[in-house]
């Protein structure tokens, strides 16, 4: 009888222990997150192929469960960008890993943020003559773009007049239909949330065509900025590495770097970056770019869109070409006309042809955060750009309140930089200083009135190029001795390819959009 009780007791103990182990396993599963693990190869280890390296990476994973599936834990095993891997791990498992020979560091991955026609002419580039002709328009160069994907059917990615890719090219086309050609020679996706390298947000399509889009006649947005759209290197080959969708996770970005190096690109362009100050040894873009440079690959990165505050520049490693954003001499003109005859030129890509020239009551709604206590129906509303609401948000609020139009006035820190964005109602964005003059006019009379005159595309701004207010400024805190950004390029109101139509129904194969950001400048000056 005593033996029976002893056996039962041990069975209960074993069962409880097993239950605890199982519960701990479940807890760990719930606590898993993606870690970037960096390793250092011991001197006595040599791996002749990638399979052996992958198995070594697997050896760092936990072995607490006999049923552990290491292949499902490893997200990426890196070969070129650095020695290490990305894997789903718990904090406790990382602590155990630290004891193993070859371990250097491990940390949870961060999410990085995206930095988002006439430009070639403004830069002095003309077809078949001068610098463009001397450089062969990028012929034979392979540009790898790490971004949100690409829209392969867009005419900007036609391979008309394109030679086959260089023999060194080893890349892949992961579309589920025949999409790649002699222009778009590769497309791969590393974002686990999507099924293909297709671009649904537009950023990757826009930046790719800015860099190396083919010639497309009649490109425009709602009839504005009409002309021939073309990238800065129209005879270069493109390879897209989709590393972003809603987020740009570091593990995916490293995987894109790794693949681009192996595939044989000549240039890597990156229009994203970390939000905050990160030392070089902990910055995956700096690490990836350094490895690429060692392989003879040039790397250009956007400086970020946190200007004009000082010390906001990103991607400031000395081995990276860091590009800020500046204006071109093209404006899509929308002039605020006041009752006293004063005129102040602003911009908008929405140019209605039927907007009345009749002077309408003008009212100041400050940041336009709340219009419920203000009667704006049939009036022109002055809003400033302060607050968390975007230009579109403010426009929609003003439109829904029944206003006829909106004058958008810059905050002081954004000075003279105005953007030709698509608006939801008749709008003009004016400079801070012109906005002050409009406010002074409104204070000078009991019945202020105004209208907006839409004048379309105007070439010849004598002040261009000027640095855009949003373009991030130096110094780069991690390396004070090197001035960053290195250069600036056209990044304000850039017309380029877009996945879908904007504001009207058009052919899905010939859609364009106007976008501003250091992303655009990074790609326009990637050469």
């Amino acid at each position: 009888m005593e033996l029976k009780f002893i056996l039962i007791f041990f069975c209960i103990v074993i069962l409880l222990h097993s239950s605890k182990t199982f519960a701990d396993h479940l807890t760990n599963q719930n606590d898993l997150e993606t870690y970037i693990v960096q390793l250092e190869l011991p001197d006595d280890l040599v791996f002749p192929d990638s399979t052996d390296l992958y198995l070594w990476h697997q050896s760092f994973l936990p072995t607490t469960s006999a049923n552990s599936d290491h292949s499902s834990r490893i997200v990426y095993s890196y070969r070129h960008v650095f020695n290490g891997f990305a894997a789903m791990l718990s904090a406790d498992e990382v602590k155990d890993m630290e004891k193993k020979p070859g371990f250097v560091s491990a940390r949870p991955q961060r999410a990085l943020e995206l930095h988002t026609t006439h430009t070639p002419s403004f830069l002095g580039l003309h077809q078949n003559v001068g610098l463009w002709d001397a450089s062969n328009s990028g012929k034979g160069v392979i540009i790898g773009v790490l971004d949100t994907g690409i829209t392969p059917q867009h005419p900007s990615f036609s391979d008309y007049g394109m030679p086959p890719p260089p023999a060194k090219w080893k890349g892949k086309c992961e579309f589920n239909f025949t999409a790649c050609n002699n222009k778009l020679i590769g497309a791969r996706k590393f974002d686990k949330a999507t099924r293909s390298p297709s671009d649904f947000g537009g950023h990757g399509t826009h930046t790719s065509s800015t860099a190396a889009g083919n010639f497309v006649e009649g490109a425009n947005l709602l009839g504005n900025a009409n002309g021939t759209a073309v990238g800065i290197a129209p005879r270069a080959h493109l390879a897209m590495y989709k590393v972003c969708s809603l987020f740009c996770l570091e593990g995916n970005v490293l995987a894109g770097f790794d693949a681009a190096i192996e595939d044989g690109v000549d240039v890597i362009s990156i229009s994203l970056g970390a939000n905050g100050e990160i030392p070089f040894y902990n910055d995956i873009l700096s690490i990836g770019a350094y490895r690429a440079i060692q392989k003879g690959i040039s790397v250009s990165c956007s400086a970020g869109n946190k200007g004009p505050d000082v010390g906001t520049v990103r991607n400031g490693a000395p081995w990276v070409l860091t590009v800020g954003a500046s204006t071109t001499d093209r404006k899509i003109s929308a002039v605020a006309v006041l009752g006293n005859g004063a005129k102040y030129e602003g911009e908008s890509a929405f140019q209605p042809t039927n907007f009345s020239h009749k002077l309408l009551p003008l009212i100041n709604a400050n940041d336009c955060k709340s219009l419920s206590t203000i009667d704006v129906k049939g009036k022109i509303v002055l809003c400033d750009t302060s607050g968390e609401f975007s230009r579109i948000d403010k426009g929609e609020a003003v439109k829904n309140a029944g206003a006829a139009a909106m004058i958008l006035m810059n905050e002081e820190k954004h000075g003279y930089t105005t953007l030709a964005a698509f608006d939801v109602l008749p709008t003009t964005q004016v400079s801070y200083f012109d906005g002050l003059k409009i406010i002074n006019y409104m204070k000078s009379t009991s019945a202020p009135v105004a209208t907006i005159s839409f004048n379309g595309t105007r070439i010849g701004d004598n002040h261009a190029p000027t640095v855009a207010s949003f373009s991030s400024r130096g110094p780069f805190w991690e390396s004070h001795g090197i001035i960053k950004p290195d250069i600036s390029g056209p990044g304000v109101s850039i017309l380029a390819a877009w996945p879908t139509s904007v504001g009207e129904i058009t052919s899905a194969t010939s859609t364009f959009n106007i976008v501003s950001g250091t992303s655009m400048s990074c790609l326009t000056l990637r050469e």
Side-chain angles (χ1 to χ4, degrees):
M1 180 65 71
E2 290 181 359
L3 179 60
K4 180 179 180 181
F5 279 119
I6 292 172
L7 290 173
I8 292 173
F9 174 77
F10 275 110
C11 286
I12 292 172
V13 170
I14 292 170
L15 179 61
L16 289 174
H17 178 73
S18 299
S19 298
K20 182 179 183 304
T21 302
F22 181 68
D24 288 344
H25 179 67
L26 287 179
T27 301
N28 288 337
Q29 289 293 323
N30 292 333
D31 292 341
L32 297 183
E33 59 180 316
T34 302
Y35 279 78
I36 306 295
V37 181
Q38 188 168 1
L39 308 174
E40 184 176 24
L41 192 66
D43 294 336
D44 58 344
L45 284 181
V46 177
F47 299 117
D49 58 47
S50 59
T51 302
D52 295 331
L53 181 63
Y54 181 78
L55 291 175
W56 185 58
H57 289 170
Q58 278 190 335
S59 71
F60 284 83
L61 299 180
T63 58
T64 55
S65 171
N67 296 322
S68 292
D69 184 0
H70 287 174
S71 62
S72 65
R73 289 289 202 101
I74 289 187
V75 182
Y76 296 110
S77 176
Y78 305 116
R79 295 183 55 199
H80 304 284
V81 71
F82 80 153
N83 193 346
F85 58 91
M88 299 294 292
L89 300 165
S90 70
D92 290 338
E93 290 170 344
V94 171
K95 288 182 180 179
D96 292 337
M97 187 184 298
E98 293 173 355
K99 305 170 186 176
K100 298 184 178 183
F103 176 87
V104 175
S105 66
R107 61 168 176 79
Q109 70 174 348
R110 291 181 289 256
L112 308 180
E113 59 183 19
L114 293 166
H115 290 155
T116 246
T117 57
H118 173 63
T119 302
S121 296
F122 176 68
L123 293 175
L125 301 177
H126 304 283
Q127 193 171 2
N128 300 323
V129 297
L131 181 62
W132 230 359
D133 187 52
S135 67
N136 291 320
S137 302
K139 184 177 180 180
V141 175
I142 302 173
I143 304 174
V145 181
L146 277 61
D147 216 294
T148 63
I150 197 165
T151 307
Q153 64 270 27
H154 198 283
S156 290
F157 309 120
S158 161
D159 66 352
Y160 177 79
M162 289 293 300
K168 69 172 184 175
W169 176 245
K170 297 183 292 183
K172 302 176 182 177
C173 185
E174 295 181 352
F175 282 107
N176 58 3
F177 55 94
T178 303
C180 293
N181 53 31
N182 287 335
K183 164 59 73 176
L184 179 62
I185 61 175
R188 302 177 65 175
K189 71 104 179 174
F190 299 93
D191 180 6
K192 302 294 186 182
T194 57
R195 296 181 180 180
S196 80
S198 291
D199 181 19
F200 300 105
H203 192 274
T205 297
H206 197 277
T207 55
S208 297
S209 65
T210 302
N214 214 332
F215 295 86
V216 181
E217 295 181 359
N220 67 87
L221 174 62
L222 306 179
N224 302 303
N226 188 51
T228 298
V230 60
I232 299 302
R235 290 294 173 254
H237 305 281
L238 272 171
M240 169 55 67
Y241 299 87
K242 182 174 182 176
V243 296
C244 308
S245 55
L246 294 176
F247 304 101
C248 305
L249 299 177
E250 286 182 314
N252 299 340
V253 175
L254 273 174
F257 256 119
D258 210 52
I261 293 171
E262 182 168 334
D263 290 346
V265 304
D266 300 300
V267 178
I268 294 178
S269 282
I270 307 167
S271 301
L272 49 92
N275 186 14
E277 299 169 23
I278 300 173
F280 292 141
Y281 65 82
N282 209 12
D283 178 11
I284 61 99
L285 288 182
S286 295
I287 294 171
Y290 185 76
R291 297 300 187 192
I293 291 292
Q294 287 182 314
K295 302 282 186 178
I297 301 170
S298 301
V299 180
S300 63
C301 294
S302 51
N305 301 328
K306 300 296 185 181
D309 297 334
V310 300
T312 53
V313 65
R314 299 294 177 256
N315 301 321
W319 47 87
V320 166
L321 181 68
T322 309
V323 187
S326 53
T327 63
T328 71
D329 65 343
R330 180 182 66 196
K331 287 183 175 293
I332 303 181
S333 176
V335 179
V337 182
L338 307 186
N340 63 0
K343 297 180 180 180
Y344 302 104
E345 185 178 44
E347 291 192 81
S348 175
F350 177 47
Q351 299 267 313
T353 57
N354 58 350
F355 188 71
S356 173
H357 289 172
K358 178 183 177 182
L359 293 171
L360 300 173
L362 176 63
I363 186 169
N364 187 359
N366 298 310
D367 64 0
C368 289
K369 185 175 181 180
S370 176
L371 300 174
S372 59
T373 59
I374 307 174
D375 179 17
V376 301
K377 190 171 183 179
K379 301 177 182 179
I380 295 179
V381 181
L382 176 68
C383 302
D384 62 49
T385 57
S386 66
E388 69 277 12
F389 290 160
S390 69
R391 176 174 181 159
I392 294 296
D393 291 335
K394 292 176 187 284
E396 288 180 341
V398 169
K399 181 180 180 180
N400 292 338
M406 177 176 74
I407 298 174
L408 190 66
M409 166 189 171
N410 276 354
E411 295 175 83
E412 182 176 6
K413 68 178 182 178
H414 291 302
Y416 289 98
T417 300
T418 57
L419 309 178
F422 174 76
D423 293 295
V424 297
L425 83 166
T427 297
T428 181
Q429 181 185 6
V430 298
S431 73
Y432 169 73
F433 305 98
D434 286 345
L436 290 181
K437 295 173 184 176
I438 294 172
I439 291 175
N440 288 335
Y441 159 71
M442 296 173 70
K443 291 178 179 179
S444 70
T445 176
S446 59
V449 291
T451 187
I452 300 175
S453 176
F454 296 96
N455 301 327
T457 304
R458 181 176 69 80
I459 304 295
D461 181 1
N462 295 328
H463 298 291
T466 59
V467 176
S469 64
F470 60 77
S471 184
S472 291
R473 268 65 166 173
F476 183 61
W477 298 119
E478 297 301 323
S479 181
H480 287 185
I482 297 176
I483 297 175
K484 290 287 181 173
D486 298 292
I487 58 174
S488 72
V492 178
S493 302
I494 303 300
L495 179 77
W498 200 252
T500 57
S501 60
V502 179
E504 66 176 357
I505 299 175
T506 61
S507 168
T509 61
S510 59
T511 51
F512 292 84
N513 196 10
I514 292 176
V515 182
S516 300
T518 54
S519 295
M520 287 71 241
S521 58
C522 171
L523 273 295
T524 57
L525 284 184
R526 53 124 228 108
E527 288 275 84

